[in-house]
Amino acid sequence: MTASAAPEKLPVRIREAIQADIPFVYSSWLHQHSHSAFAAGVAQAAFFANHRRIIDKLISQADVYIACDAADISLMYGFICGEEHEWPLVHYMYVKKKFRNFGIGRMLLEELGWTPKK
C-alpha cells in the first residue's frame, strides 16, 4: 500500500469479549505498557505483577469489546476496555500494528458510545 492509497476494506466485527479473549487482552496491554515511559525504571517482575492487578480491576468493572474478523472471531484485530458515561471513558485501546489505518480504532470507540459530537 502506498502512502496515498486508501486502505483495503477489512471484514470487521465488533463483539463483547468472551473468556477466551482475556489472554489476548492481558498480553497486549501488558506488553505495550512494559515498553512505555510509564514503566521505565520499574523492575519487570514488579511491573507485571502490579499492573496485572490494575487490569484485573478495570476489566471486571468495565466493558471490553473485541474487533475481530467477521467470519472468524478467533482472528482478533484489537480491543477496547472502557466505560460509557456522558462520554466514553477509555481505560485502554489496542489495535495490532498490521491492522491499523483500517478504521478499527474508530469502530471500537463507537461501540463504547463515542460519536464525533461527543
Side-chain angles (χ1 to χ4, degrees), residues 27-44:
S27 174
S28 303
W29 197 332
L30 287 168
H31 177 75
Q32 292 298 312
H33 268 186
S34 73
H35 291 85
S36 71
F38 175 79
V42 178
Q44 288 269 329

Side-chain angles (χ1 to χ4, degrees), residues 1 4-5 7 20 31 35 37 41 64 67 70 88 95 98 107 109 112 114:
M1 178 169 77
S4 62
H31 177 75
H35 291 85
V64 180
V95 177
K98 66 182 177 180
M107 293 168 69
L109 286 166
L112 200 58
W114 176 83

Side-chain angles (χ1 to χ4, degrees), residues 7 18 22 41 50 52 97 108 114:
I18 57 175
I22 300 305
N50 290 301
R52 186 172 184 83
K97 191 171 188 172
L108 287 164
W114 176 83

Side-chain angles (χ1 to χ4, degrees), residues 21-113:
D21 303 326
I22 300 305
F24 168 69
V25 171
Y26 275 101
S27 174
S28 303
W29 197 332
L30 287 168
H31 177 75
Q32 292 298 312
H33 268 186
S34 73
H35 291 85
S36 71
F38 175 79
V42 178
Q44 288 269 329
F47 170 81
F48 281 101
N50 290 301
H51 204 66
R52 186 172 184 83
R53 290 194 328 229
I54 293 168
I55 296 170
D56 285 341
K57 177 77 171 159
L58 290 172
I59 67 173
S60 71
Q61 70 187 31
D63 297 313
V64 180
Y65 296 105
I66 303 291
C68 62
D69 184 86
D72 180 0
I73 67 167
S74 68
L75 177 56
M76 293 178 275
Y77 302 140
F79 72 90
I80 193 167
C81 174
E83 301 171 53
E84 187 175 352
H85 297 286
E86 292 177 38
W87 39 266
L89 172 62
V90 177
H91 298 303
Y92 197 75
M93 182 171 71
Y94 171 76
V95 177
K96 290 179 180 178
K97 191 171 188 172
K98 66 182 177 180
F99 297 114
R100 294 176 188 167
N101 297 314
F102 289 94
I104 294 170
R106 181 182 199 94
M107 293 168 69
L108 287 164
L109 286 166
E110 288 171 349
E111 189 67 30
L112 200 58

